[in-house]
Amino acid sequence: MVGADFHTHMILHADLDAFYASVAQRDDPALRGKPLVVAGSSRRAVVLTASYEARPFGIRSAMPLYQARERCAQLLVVPPDFTKYKETSTAVFKIFHDFARAVEGLSLDEAFLDLGDTSVDEALDKAHAMKKAVREATELSISVGIAATKMVAKIASDDGKPDGCTVVPPGTEATYLAPKPVRRLWGIGPKTEQRLLGYGIETIGQLAQLPGDRLHALFGRFGEDIRDLARGIDPRPVIEEWETRSISSEETFEHDVSDIAELDRIVHAQSAELAERLQRKQLRAYTVGIKIKLADRQICGRQTSLREPVDNAPAIARAASYCLHKTSITQPVRLIGVRVSKLAPHDIRQTSLFGAHAS
Amino acid sequence: MKFTCNAKDMAAAVTTASKVVNVHTTVPILNNVLVAARNGRVSVRATDLELTLENAIGAEVQEEGSCTVPARLFSGYLANLPAAKLQMQGTASRATLKCERSNYEFFTLPAEEYPPLPEGSSSGQFRVAAKTFRDAANGVTFAASSEEARGAVLMGTLLELDGTQATLVATDGYRLARYRLELAEPVSAPMKLVVPARGLGEVVRAASDGQIEATVVGGQANQLVFNTGDAKVSARLVDGQYPNYQQVIPKEFDKKVVASTAQLLAALRRAGVVAGDRASMVKLAMDGTSLVITASSDTAGNAYEEIDVERSGDPLTIAFNAKFLVEILNHIEFETVTLEFVGALNPAAIHPSDAKAAERQLYILMPLRQ
């Protein structure tokens, strides 16, 4: 272990505690202190988030709702409110950005923060200040883990839940991981875990000690990567924003739509929205397509490649409308969406002989 | 119908015509070719209603008449015949084919149900030397749009006829190709027709030597029938307003570069390799007596090419899509090429340096903007 004032590159993993459930409890005092889950209302609904009060009953995310109800008779079920989650998440990420050089969002409630070269003490101060700022702005608690690598930071934040703040000082990663079960490691799913248990390998420490040939026999060419992870070695940096590969705009109708003219109007509106988003991101698209979900939930659609990339509403709408008319729509439409992909940076533009939107 | 012909001639005629048969058609008879024997000739016709191809071969006709045979079956059978005599006999329901010791019978559909060739009085016609027309069509069609989403008009080629002058124009909105040619005789009235690229392509393939005679027919004067030698190509004209191309050709240029076509083409092809992932952007910097071509990409590296040129006007740096430039230069046969400019964001003109050839052939290309 190195001294507390030694500066090294540190990564912080932050995770909002039982996010959806906590938002519900925050906004409705009657729900506080009670076992509740956030879930949809369909017959096949699954638990999106369980409050900490529900967890002692064995209720977990992704569990079918009927099973959760079987385990806890007094369970409260709250429908999700994504608008609210999005608002809250935006506020929280704004705070993340105040404390980090770069923020890599993993979902609405989870992110990696690049703290840059810093000491353990400084990192801890930052973490506490950030937790306080999040609580003041949103009344929600976050758990944070700090380490020199992404994976260790995430494991550490999970260890401290809820409202935790766990630091793994640089140099102590392998020791920290060693006693933990192998399934905590990235890339070890239930199947691999069973296989490892079959060989008597239960802890990350045991995995880290395996000789090269055994690793190769177990994981093939990924053997060394897995051993590196088991030893706390993970060179992946925090990447500010994943490259945008496609952008889409979709709408599910309350009542299925059969009228092509109506669908065409919607496609035009969606194209305008996409144009705005492309322009904001300074991107242009070489491919435009539409996606249609029919009444029987069958999905169909078309896409078309363009010689010159587009970012303006008329051009996107023209291509999307073309795709719409080329798609054979055999039933009323339940959902329609426009998608632009093969995105290219905006910096170079082919000028046009007949004005910007020539056709 | 009954006739005897050479099996290879028949195979060639059926294969050529069957190209337009659309395997996805929902009209059964459009899967067939129409075989007609008349006046010591046999013609084979196929259509997808947009484009009709007909080829004639010499034959010994014993009984005039016609029948329709499924195109795929027929061409598959004919392709495997030896160069021998083929005897064909057809009715509304059967076609019998005999060649050496093989004997086949195909089920047919009645010839009367086959879509007739467009009729109606001719509303205009022109005659042109086949080679001239082929050169002109080859020189422009590449510049047409290939994107159905941008509409059929830009996918077609404009054919303007006035007096003894014909002008072919194709554009995809980024580059424009114009080719002028002389007709064999003046047209009776000026015409503007938009011919689909596919149709023009078939005319180019069918026309060998001699003349092409083209006639506008159809109820709405919406078909153009090209007759050349033994082949007939009939294309449905594109309905729609062709953009005013004359308006986008600058009247004057004040900067000019004359370069070796081969040198410029080779340099652009090389630089284009590097430019590939950056909108194929190459920069042309003109100063003194040199033209410097550069391209750079974060992933591929950098390209630098310098060639000696004759130059007049102020220095200029301008960016183009290398692919567009290469495609244009591929169609310039003269040994030197002239590039003319106004500014870095204005259309540029590219043409053969020879004055007569330049009058014939002109390309306009829009630059890239950064």
Side-chain angles (χ1 to χ4, degrees), chain B residues 8 102 196 231 264 276 284 291 307 314 368:
Chain B
K8 288 290 169 202
S102 77
L264 183 58
L284 276 58
L291 166 63
I307 53 180
D314 292 338
L368 289 172

Side-chain angles (χ1 to χ4, degrees), chain A residues 284 286 304-308 318-319 322 326 345-354 358-359, chain B residues 147-150 154 171 173-176 243 248 278-279 321 324 327 364 366-370:
Chain A
R284 288 182 297 156
Y286 277 99
T304 182
S305 289
L306 308 167
R307 176 132 198 179
E308 283 303 319
R318 189 169 58 222
Y322 167 76
K326 281 273 174 179
H346 195 263
D347 56 345
I348 304 168
R349 177 189 285 267
Q350 171 67 54
T351 55
S352 175
L353 278 163
F354 305 106
S359 62
Chain B
E147 291 168 19
E148 275 186 52
R150 300 189 67 208
L154 287 187
T171 178
Y174 311 117
R175 69 260 172 90
L176 180 146
V248 301
R278 292 263 298 159
N321 180 329
F324 285 166
E327 271 188 315
I364 299 293
M366 290 304 290
L368 289 172
R369 176 163 59 196
Q370 274 187 284

Side-chain angles (χ1 to χ4, degrees), chain A residues 7-10 101 114-119 122:
Chain A
H7 281 232
T8 183
H9 201 112
M10 299 293 265
R101 296 198 322 173
D114 183 347
L115 299 182
D117 284 341
T118 180
S119 69
E122 275 175 15

Side-chain angles (χ1 to χ4, degrees), chain A residues 165-242:
Chain A
C165 181
T166 311
V167 184
V168 181
T172 68
E173 293 87 354
T175 328
Y176 179 76
L177 295 175
K180 298 186 188 299
V182 285
R183 66 165 177 278
R184 299 285 303 272
L185 219 52
W186 282 358
I188 307 283
K191 277 203 178 142
T192 316
E193 183 191 8
Q194 283 309 313
R195 207 148 52 94
L196 290 173
L197 291 178
Y199 290 108
I201 302 160
E202 292 173 9
T203 65
I204 296 179
Q206 285 174 297
L207 193 56
Q209 298 301 322
L210 286 183
D213 52 341
R214 292 268 338 256
L215 280 165
H216 194 266
L218 282 168
F219 302 106
R221 61 199 171 89
F222 300 111
E224 285 187 14
D225 293 344
I226 300 264
R227 183 173 60 187
D228 279 352
L229 283 179
R231 292 176 178 178
I233 301 165
D234 174 18
R236 279 166 287 194
V238 174
I239 297 168
E240 177 81 31
E241 194 175 353
W242 287 100

